[in-house]
Amino acid sequence: GQNIDQPTEMTATEGAIVQINCTYQTSGFNGLFWYQQHAGEAPTFLSYNVLDGLEEKGRFSSFLSRSKGYSYLLLKELQMKDSASYLCAVGSYAGNNRKLIWGLGTSLAVNP
Amino acid sequence: GAGVSQSPSNKVTEKGKDVELRCDPISGHTALYWYRQRLGQGLEFLIYFQGNSAPDKSGLPSDRFSAERTGESVSTLTIQRTQQEDSAVYLCASSSVGPGTPTYEQYFGPGTRLTVT
């Protein structure tokens, strides 16, 4: 079956670093995506990993290990505006069918 | 260069009525997705359109739900005989698929908040 696991909730302090983990078991793998969703808004794309290793983009970094079925999103120098839900999704493609398998999201609360 | 747009932004309807939700994808995007998101829950896949291929309807929860797409443009999601459990935000996303599109990133619209009373 298809399964993506991530923690339901996390809390961190402004200025700190937080790591949000995601593990997956899918029938196919065509990249792992992280999206950010603020309350009442649509998800927006943060990062994409298809090869093992770390991808850095400003304060956000994303890591992938395909052999372990594991990814994490690292947020540095946390700001209050980073309070949001972070969604992990895996591309599972078959022929022309390109779907993302979504995790339930990790709700991050950044406290002053 | 507009993004994905959806209408209406909010819809309140009485139980048993039919509703139609609209999605305008980004021009040139061949893939279009509909999702449902209940309050505090994750994204629930409903249906996927890819070019002229037959849509993937595997996520539609019942035969009260249907969707259409005209070519590679507008899509409508129709819910017949609405029930209170249909209350949710319905999100549409589009994606560019093909050579030169390395990420298959999905771009989301703002959603339609449906409330069934």
Side-chain angles (χ1 to χ4, degrees):
Chain A
Q2 317 264 49
N3 195 48
I4 295 182
D5 287 316
Q6 47 182 134
T8 304
E9 294 180 340
M10 297 185 70
T11 303
T13 304
E14 191 175 17
I17 299 173
V18 71
Q19 178 175 312
I20 303 174
N21 296 323
C22 171
T23 58
Y24 63 90
Q25 290 178 304
T26 57
S27 57
F29 181 82
N30 293 88
L32 188 139
F33 298 76
W34 284 96
Y35 280 74
Q36 180 190 59
Q37 186 177 26
H38 284 102
E41 298 182 10
T44 55
F45 171 79
L46 285 179
S47 70
Y48 169 75
N49 294 69
V50 67
L51 299 176
D52 290 352
L54 188 68
E55 294 281 342
E56 297 188 75
K57 189 187 292 186
R59 293 189 299 115
F60 293 5
S61 303
S62 57
F63 171 84
L64 174 67
S65 169
R66 288 171 297 172
S67 63
K68 295 181 179 178
Y70 168 69
S71 172
Y72 67 72
L73 180 69
L74 192 71
L75 291 76
K76 304 175 186 176
E77 302 169 16
L78 280 172
Q79 302 175 8
M80 299 296 289
K81 67 178 182 180
D82 297 330
S83 294
S85 182
Y86 291 85
L87 307 172
C88 174
V90 172
S92 183
Y93 307 147
N96 276 333
N97 192 328
R98 283 165 169 76
K99 287 163 56 175
L100 294 183
I101 311 300
W102 293 86
L104 295 181
T106 298
S107 179
L108 173 66
V110 179
N111 297 320
Chain B
V4 178
S5 61
Q6 293 186 244
S7 61
S9 56
N10 281 284
K11 176 71 176 179
V12 180
T13 190
E14 292 180 351
K15 177 181 173 181
K17 300 284 189 183
D18 297 353
V19 296
E20 189 173 278
L21 313 180
R22 177 187 170 106
C23 172
D24 281 272
I26 292 173
S27 177
H29 279 193
T30 57
L32 186 147
Y33 307 78
W34 282 99
Y35 295 94
R36 178 169 68 179
Q37 189 172 34
R38 293 194 169 105
L39 186 64
Q41 303 295 311
L43 294 176
E44 179 184 357
F45 167 77
L46 296 178
I47 188 168
Y48 159 66
F49 295 91
Q50 172 55 53
N52 294 319
S53 302
D56 177 350
K57 304 179 181 181
S58 61
L60 294 179
S62 76
D63 59 7
R64 296 187 297 104
F65 288 72
S66 63
E68 294 183 348
R69 187 182 188 193
T70 307
E72 295 183 353
S73 59
V74 172
S75 175
T76 55
L77 176 69
T78 301
I79 308 174
Q80 296 177 310
R81 304 180 303 281
T82 53
Q83 304 294 313
Q84 288 186 331
E85 63 262 28
D86 299 335
S87 295
V89 175
Y90 289 82
L91 290 163
C92 173
S94 71
S95 176
S96 177
V97 180
T101 55
T103 66
Y104 305 112
E105 173 188 342
Q106 294 185 14
Y107 296 81
F108 284 82
T112 294
R113 183 175 300 277
L114 175 66
T115 304
V116 182
T117 61

